[in-house]
Amino acid sequence: MSKFVFIKTANDNAYMNTVSNFRGAVHSGDTAVDLYFASAVGGNFNIYDKIALVVTTQKEQEVMEYIGGA
């Protein structure tokens, strides 16, 4: 059975993909961490989904470590 990640940002705006499609995270700004997944709609391996997280300043590494440990 596959495990899934589910992210909901607002009413009528959510994302779900398999954990095995997680490709990594990038600290992309002072309060930003981007998560990358192989595309949820399939297709070419060069297609990816990017989920931008807004995090508390100076907590970017902590967020990435927590996600990595999950």
Side-chain angles (χ1 to χ4, degrees):
M1 176 181 244
S2 296
K3 293 185 178 184
F4 290 85
V5 61
F6 178 79
I7 300 168
K8 184 172 182 173
T9 59
N11 192 30
D12 298 328
N13 189 7
Y15 177 83
M16 186 169 76
N17 202 331
T18 60
V19 172
S20 63
N21 279 343
F22 179 67
R23 295 295 177 249
V26 174
H27 172 203
S28 58
D30 185 36
T31 60
V33 173
D34 295 332
L35 306 180
Y36 292 90
F37 294 85
S39 178
V41 295
N44 186 318
F45 285 108
N46 293 326
I47 298 173
Y48 62 88
D49 297 334
K50 179 176 95 171
I51 306 300
L53 302 178
V54 177
V55 300
T56 303
T57 189
Q58 303 299 315
K59 296 291 185 179
E60 300 88 353
Q61 181 177 344
E62 187 176 326
V63 168
M64 292 174 72
E65 290 172 351
Y66 181 81
I67 291 169

